[in-house]
Structure formats: C-alpha cells, structure tokens
Amino acid sequence: MRQDPALSRRGFIAATLAAGGAALFYVRPGSQPAAAATAVLLNGWIRIAPDGAITVFSRATELGQGALTSLALIVAEELALDPASIGVEMAPVTEAFMDHGNTLGYGVGAAYYATWGSLSSRDMDGSMRKIAATVRVLLLRAAAQTWTVPESECNAENGVVRHAGGRTSTYAALAPTAATLPVPQDIEPRPRADWRRLGRATARFDIPAKTDGSAIYGVDVKRPGLLVATIAQCPMFGGKLESVDVSTVEKMPGVKTVLALEDAVAVIATGYWPAKQGLARLRPIWRAGDRKAADSGAQYASLRRAVQAPDHLFLPKGAQAAELLAAHSAGMAAATAHLEALYEVPFLAHAPMEPMNATAHITPHGAELWVPTQFQSMVRDVVAELLGLPGEKVTVHTTAVGGGFGRRTEIDYAIQAAKIARHTEQPVKLIWSREEDTSRGYFRPMAVMRLTAGLDAKGEPTAFSFTAACPSIMDYSIERRHGAPQQEIEEAGLANARDLPYALSAQKISLASADLGVPLTWMRSVGSQASVFGVECFLDEMAAAAKADPLAYRRRLLRQRPRELAVVERLAALAGWDRPAAAGRHRGFAMNAANGSVVAQIVELEVSAQRAVILHRVYCVVDCGVAFNPDAVVAQMEGGIIFGLTGALLGEISLKDGAVVQKNFDSYPLLTLAQTPKIEVSILQSDAPVGGVGEEAVPPVGPAVANALFSATGQRLRSLPLMRQGFTLADAI
Amino acid sequence: MTYSLSINGQQKTVIVAGDTPLLWVLRDNLGLTGTKFGCGAGLCGACTVHLDGQPVRSCLVTIGAVAHAKITTIEGLSADRSHPLQRAWIAEQVPQCGYCQSGMLMVAAALLRDNPRPSEEDIRSTMTNLCRCGTYPRVKRAILRASSQRGNAP
C-alpha cells in the first residue's frame, strides 16, 4: 500500500548472508523433538531434513494473494525441485527473520515483519532468490569437496547432486556438510531466460484447505479452556467509557465477566453468542472526546476550504520551490484556456469478510497470541510493552487471514485481546461484531482534490496542478505512534500524483494537511484510490476541452514513456478502442503506474433511460515486469477491479454527530456476483524488475467508470461513490 | 436445553440455550469452524449450511427451531474434497483469502443438485453471497465447470 518505497535490499541480503555465515550450524531443533537432525541453512531461512523435506520460512503473510506459493516457486527454481515438494512455514516472529534492511518500505528504526505495500514479491525477488541460489551452490560445493571433484562438474536437480562421472548424493545427505561451509556473498540467481518453474501458472498451495473448511483463520482458533469475548467501543472517535452497570449481565448464563476498558466495554463468556447477548443488555454511558462531534458535510466543507490554501509543496529531487512556482505561473499565463475542478472521495472501511479478532493467552511465563495480522512484529512489540515483557516472551502465531486490504496492519484488536486476557487465566478470543468492524475505523481517508490545467490553442497542456486536502494516515497509524518519522506526510494525499507518467509540464503538486479526528490507515493502493480518480478524470476533462479522443490525448502525453505506452496500446487492441463501441455502450479509460507496475483498464458500460448502470466489461492490461505465478496475477487483477468497483461505485463511510452511520453490509454494500462485469486480463511481460500486483488494479477502475459515464451521459461525476450521484447499479448481463 | 442433532450424518448432543443461532452451536459447541461468521445478520452468506438439503444462513436460525433437521456443513460436503464443486474450485483457483468460500460452496452445491445445468442467469440470481477479495468471476466459472463435468458423467 505504501508507494515508492526505497527498496534497499542490498543491506538485507548482506546481513542475511553474513548472519548465515556466522550462524550456519547443524542442529537438533528443540521445537521438533521427533524430527531427526536438520541442516539449517542461511540463518534458518531454508532447512533440509534428513528425509529430504525442504522447508522455507516466509515473513510474508498469505492473504490470498499467493505469497507462499510464489516463495515455494522461487526456492523450487533455484534448487531445481518440484514446487509441491517444498514446505513453506511462517517464520518465527523473532529478530533473525525480520527485515532489518528497510526492504519493506520506510522503517521506524526497528525491524519489521509485515505484509504490505505490494512488496512481498519484490522482497522475495530481492532476497529469497539469492538466498536459495546460495543454498544450491553450497550443496554443489559440499558434493565437490566430498568427492574431490571440480564444482563445475556437478549439477543439482530434483533433490540430487550428480557428478559428471556418475556419482550422486541427495541434497539431504549433503546438507550437513553444506551447512558448515563458508557462505559465498556473490551468487546470482538464475536469469529469467533459464526459468523452468517460476513464471508458469502454478496451483496455489493454500487453496485446497479453503474448499473444505479446514483452513484455520483467527476466528477459528481453538485452545484448551478458551473463552470468547466481544466488545462495544465508544461510537464517537476519541470518546471514553463513562460508566456501565454490569450487575445483571454478569449473572447471565455463559457470561464470565464484564470488563470496562478506557474506551470500550467487553463481555467475556463461554462462547460468542452468550458474550454477544450480554453485550446487547449492557447500557454503557459514553463520554465524547475533546474534539467536536463532526458530520460528513462539515468535514467535506473544511477540506474544500483547506484545498484552496495548500501548506506543503512537493518538490521533485533537485527542484527549487521558487523556480517551480514561477514555471507553473508562466505555464498558466501562456494558456488560452483554463480548467479547474474539485474531486472528492469519502472515508471507506476495509470490510474484510473475517471481522477483526485475536486470541491471547497470558501466563506468568509470557504471552502467546494467535492473530490474523499483516504486522506481526508490531503485535509482538506493542503487546510486550503493554505487559512489561521482553519481546522474546511474546509469541505471535499467524493464522489464516480472512482478508487484509491494509486493515490488518493496525493491531488495535490484538492490543484489546491482550488487555482482556490479562484478566483471565484461560486464553481469550476477542471477536468483533460486523457492526464494530464497519464503524470503528481505521478508514481510508476522505479527501478533496483540486486540479487545474492550462491548455494552449491546440489543447495541449501548458501547466498542471494537483492539490489534495487530506488528513494524514501517519497521524493515526500504529507505526507513527511507535516512532515512525513524519517523512510520509505526502503519502495518503498525493500518492502517485507525485510521479505521473504523463508529460504534464509546469506541474505543481501540493498538499493541504488536515485532521478530522477520524482514525485512518492504509487501504489497498492507499492514496492512489483518490489521486488516480482525480487525475484520470481530469485528463478526460482536458481531452474533452481539446476536443480529442481521451486515449489519443493520453498517447501524446506518454510519448516519452514506452512502458506505459505499450500497456495502453495492448489495452486499446484488447478492448477494440479504435473501433466504435457497440450500440448503446460507452467506454472509459484510466491507468495507474505504481509500485513498479503499470495497470490500465477500459470499462464498457450501458446506462438505461432510468439511469441504471450496467457494467458489461472491464479490460485490464498489467505490466508487472515479470509474473512469478501468472494465474495469481490475473486473480489479483480481477480482485483489485472488484474491490475498486465496490469502493468507487458503492462505498461510503459517513459520520453524523461524530459517529459512523454505516454498520453492516446493508448500509455498507459490496459489489455482488450479479453486478460484476466480465473481466478480461492480459499480462504484458517486460524486462522491468518484478512489480507489485496486490494493489495496483484497484485505482483505475473507478475513474474508468466515471469517464465512461461521461461518454454516456455528458455528465461529469466528481464525487464518490458514483452510484450516489443519481445512478443505480444494475446487474451485469 | 439438550438437543440431539444430525450433523454430516452423525448424531451429536449439545446443551445450549434454545435461542442460540445454529452458527454458534456449530462453531463454539461442536468445533465445526468451517462455517464462517461474517455479518451475523443474514447479509453475507458466509455461514450457509444445508438444512434437509436447503441452503440456510445459519446465523439467522436458532438451534431450537432447526434441531430436527438434517444439517450438512462444509465439512460434510465430501470426505476428501471430491465433490465436483470442490474439484472445480481448485481447478479454477477460486479462493483468495478463502473466508467466504464455505458459504459459496454450500449455496452452489444446493443449486447444482436442484439444477444440474444452471444458466449464467441462474448462477447470478442464486449466488448472492458476498466476497471481498473479488472471486466472483471464478466462482461463476467453477460452477459452470462442475455442472458440465456432471453433465458428462455417466
């Protein structure tokens, strides 16, 4: 979700390889008493057991994106093995397996174990490919040394090292020797041209257990003596619990105890239903916080004021503010036509299908947590701090995760579970109701964007500006509260408006900071959800003012960007853009270049006389450099498009008197199967490094729909959700 | 109250308040966690099970009202992921996070039993379960795949 992180992998690899050199050893793992001796290679990332079983550790969480399968594919490629023969386990949440090299985006000065920012594949590309390649060389060297033959005459394939002279030995037999050898620092992974396993559609390993109910999500965790809690939190953000009468509820069958927290009340019971029944009987008295209760209307009004007076100018590297502003003014002065528009997006809830939950067991020896989370190291550190324990006394188990989308980078529910479990000897599973999940944040920020452009007599842009008034995610996210610097102030508001692929000269990109008192966090593609909506719709406005075809106009602005242009050309061909649309159908285009990938989409729709919108097709082309598992990339494009349609067409979190109005899926609807258009995805392989795919398909689809609606109706929609602007969404056909 | 239940072909006895939704009896009393809690209001379908073969959102029915029925959960769809829909789900690589898929499969299984060759329109009108990851296109494909396999079977 974070954009444009500085990917400094070198430090990580060097540290891992060096640590591997120091820590290579041959152990009898205490945690697996039944297992015989296992060779631990490269600091434990890869383990080879005597029976030949190969296990790789992941610090990427499986969120349904196929991260664990990609990791297995990488190891399979370098070690020349069947991917299905490789076991992938979540690495322990300990220092050795954290990202010390800032690989996963900006750091907080500590180590990270997290899944975000479309970074999992990029992390693996930069680290695990090299680690696995190094293991292969160590196995070859062990064989060469044992047989006193040249390493170059040995070959590793399907679990066996073979010498040209005919001698063979299994990886398992060689592993103990390999683990004692000095670790080379300069091994290169296989070049793409030689790949035999990576880059081919591979069935995901996590899928079978998701077809028979056997996958264990956080909400499914079973422990001996387990209690279940549910919670009501103060409906006003920043408010507190004033008082609550617990006398009758604590006598209800199944209820163990009622616990008053600072801003919430929890009922602990033998199961979810008695806990929920108890909670429903409580009449907690809430006290509003210091901030004035807000309504969405007032919040929009304050952002509309703020956007007129930005307080932060984005300066590209080497640029001087005075020169940039002068160039922009000159560009505007040279224009013969001026355009200006405000675009607006509301708060959004992530609404993963698995409501927030966490299980905690706190004993005199330490704390153990089972959490569906995207941010294991923060769970460990914050719970340790809360309980006054050293980090190593807090064990965090990652469960299957019923949807993350960024919401599970926050750990509020895990902190609550630990606070509750402090009061019981038994483990406690805290489960939020759907109503709590929808209404309690953390949200995608509300934003108001002001865009302006100057056009010359031919309609070509002479100047361009983008200003976002948007509250800062970093003011609320857990990272900021635990020491992250404010360097990312631009993150949510500007996103990739800072780095548009279009040749828009005399650009001015600025931010008006704001605080609406509503907790915010990263949501799948983060600020691009807003900025791509504003920019791609405004480009259509510019094209219309220039009386140009929207795609022809963009093609001119992408002349210097061959990669983006190639995506546009492939997409235009796929969608038949240069031929007229079928009668009654209208098309819109939008593109998102972010996180090392380029995704462009064309939406084809129809609007009935009653203003019902029928989505016919979404065409999508992605260039993510290379796709480790192409079918998983297609699935991410499909999922991103549907996530984007829900957000842009239907999604809105609004506030009234300081409390969120929406509670469940009746007031916070998701796109349905019946409304979902046919989606056609094409992957364009390029020489670019591997890019992200988890987030990048989300932003373009909303503006593509808005642009198609303009083509259909002549009406320019500049506020989300689009279906609250006088249209309804019909079933697709 | 004590209830004797027929679940996935087995008799089970639970002692639980009669107003407890079937969902929570399955999950908290019987440990059958394949049936998921999504909304608690019959809106998402993640908790769908079969009562006497009919798909029902188990968060909306109380144990007292359904104790007489034959209950089938995702764990009882097949013993070994051999149901044509489970095979199709794997072949089409349907699940992402997977949380909604038990409910999707149970609705689809009832659809195919009553209507072995459903049209796309049948699928659209029946599959009202919500999925946040966006697996709908593959859900549709997998149902069509399973139905055509079934049609080819002797």
Side-chain angles (χ1 to χ4, degrees), chain A residues 305 313 380 679:
Chain A
R305 282 193 301 276
L313 177 67
R380 186 190 78 149
I679 298 172

Side-chain angles (χ1 to χ4, degrees), chain A residues 566-590:
Chain A
V567 168
V568 170
E569 296 308 338
R570 168 77 74 96
L571 178 63
L574 186 70
W577 180 275
D578 296 318
R579 299 189 302 273
R585 296 196 182 186
H586 298 272
R587 295 181 296 211
F589 169 94

Side-chain angles (χ1 to χ4, degrees), chain B residues 55-82:
Chain B
V56 170
R57 295 185 172 185
S58 66
C59 70
L60 290 184
V61 293
T62 65
I63 191 68
V66 304
H68 59 280
K70 275 191 183 161
I71 301 163
T72 308
T73 69
I74 183 70
E75 290 90 348
L77 192 59
S78 74
D80 50 4
R81 299 175 190 144
S82 60

Side-chain angles (χ1 to χ4, degrees), chain A residues 232 302 353 365 521 690 732:
Chain A
S302 78
M353 293 311 296
H365 310 294
T521 197
V690 64

Side-chain angles (χ1 to χ4, degrees), chain B residues 58-136:
Chain B
S58 66
C59 70
L60 290 184
V61 293
T62 65
I63 191 68
V66 304
H68 59 280
K70 275 191 183 161
I71 301 163
T72 308
T73 69
I74 183 70
E75 290 90 348
L77 192 59
S78 74
D80 50 4
R81 299 175 190 144
S82 60
H83 189 284
L85 281 166
Q86 288 171 312
R87 294 207 309 260
W89 243 243
I90 292 169
E92 295 289 350
Q93 295 282 290
V94 174
Q96 289 188 26
C97 90
Y99 196 79
C100 71
Q101 300 295 338
S102 297
M104 291 275 187
L105 279 158
M106 296 310 282
V107 175
L111 169 65
L112 283 197
R113 196 204 45 232
D114 295 342
N115 179 0
R117 302 299 292 265
S119 66
E120 288 207 20
E121 178 51 36
D122 296 334
I123 294 171
R124 275 199 295 270
S125 60
T126 307
M127 300 302 297
T128 56
N129 301 42
L130 298 179
C131 170
R132 186 58 160 147
C133 297
T135 62
Y136 299 133

Side-chain angles (χ1 to χ4, degrees), chain A residues 402-419:
Chain A
F405 316 119
R407 179 62 182 85
R408 287 184 158 101
T409 63
E410 295 299 329
I411 63 165
D412 43 331
Y413 45 92
I415 298 170
Q416 288 169 346
K419 284 181 176 171

Side-chain angles (χ1 to χ4, degrees), chain A residues 62-65 202-217 219-222 228 270-274 277 349-355 400-405 429 431-435 523-524 629 631-632 634-636 638-640 642-643 646-647 664-666 668 670-679 731-733, chain B residues 16-21 23-25 27-46 59 62 73-81 85-102 104-105 120-121 123-141 143:
Chain A
E62 180 59 63
L63 300 167
Q65 80 282 45
T202 305
R204 275 170 38 215
F205 303 159
D206 57 307
I207 282 184
K210 293 173 174 175
T211 65
D212 65 358
S214 62
I216 299 297
Y217 297 81
V219 77
D220 303 328
V221 165
K222 298 181 180 92
V228 178
T270 53
Y272 180 81
W273 186 249
Q277 294 288 89
H350 303 67
M353 293 311 296
E354 181 188 16
V401 183
F405 316 119
K429 174 161 63 184
I431 304 174
W432 286 18
S433 66
R434 174 56 57 188
E435 289 77 10
M523 182 193 275
R524 196 175 188 180
N629 188 357
D631 187 57
V634 171
Q636 285 305 299
E638 293 168 350
I642 292 168
F643 195 94
T646 288
N664 208 319
F665 293 122
D666 46 356
Y668 192 73
L670 307 183
L671 200 78
T672 63
L673 181 144
Q675 293 165 330
T676 300
K678 288 201 166 60
I679 298 172
D731 287 355
I733 295 171
Chain B
V16 65
D19 66 352
T20 309
L23 169 66
W24 295 106
V25 175
R27 292 182 53 81
D28 284 351
N29 297 87
L30 296 166
L32 292 170
T33 53
T35 303
K36 297 298 191 237
F37 164 55
C39 70
L43 298 165
C44 76
C59 70
T62 65
T73 69
I74 183 70
E75 290 90 348
L77 192 59
S78 74
D80 50 4
R81 299 175 190 144
L85 281 166
Q86 288 171 312
R87 294 207 309 260
W89 243 243
I90 292 169
E92 295 289 350
Q93 295 282 290
V94 174
Q96 289 188 26
C97 90
Y99 196 79
C100 71
Q101 300 295 338
S102 297
M104 291 275 187
L105 279 158
E120 288 207 20
E121 178 51 36
I123 294 171
R124 275 199 295 270
S125 60
T126 307
M127 300 302 297
T128 56
N129 301 42
L130 298 179
C131 170
R132 186 58 160 147
C133 297
T135 62
Y136 299 133
R138 288 170 190 245
V139 166
K140 198 165 73 180
R141 283 215 307 268
I143 294 171

